[in-house]
Amino acid sequence: MSGNRAREELRDWVRARGYWDRAAEFLELACNASDSDVQNRYATIAQHYRMLAEAEERSADQKGTERRSQRASAA
């Protein structure tokens, strides 16, 4: 069971990293776009990716805390 939780936690961290990368890509696109409407759209997309990354990080943190708690109570 603990192995599954550890894998799920790791997957959350990997997904979060991917979302942070996508957010950075869209921020760069926003900075390089000449049209302000396009800049705003890209910035909005980047914000959504940041929110997803933060949610994945919270999920990974929670799973890690639960896993460590279960391990400590089993010891």
Side-chain angles (χ1 to χ4, degrees):
M1 176 72 170
S2 177
N4 285 340
R5 295 297 285 177
R7 279 190 293 279
E8 289 174 12
E9 180 185 350
L10 180 59
R11 276 191 291 257
D12 289 347
W13 285 116
V14 169
R15 247 189 319 273
R17 181 71 253 164
Y19 291 144
W20 284 120
D21 291 345
R22 295 294 290 166
E25 290 170 17
F26 277 98
L27 280 178
E28 185 174 342
L29 288 170
C31 289
N32 294 324
S34 57
D35 183 277
S36 64
D37 288 336
V38 173
Q39 288 175 345
N40 290 335
R41 276 187 236 127
Y42 283 146
T44 299
I45 293 168
Q47 176 61 29
H48 286 289
Y49 275 115
R50 284 195 301 267
M51 290 175 8
L52 288 169
E54 290 167 356
E56 289 296 338
E57 287 178 348
R58 283 191 302 274
S59 177
D61 281 340
Q62 181 180 0
K63 287 174 184 168
T65 299
E66 290 170 359
R67 186 174 46 80
R68 287 185 296 277
S69 175
Q70 288 174 352
R71 194 173 23 178
S73 66

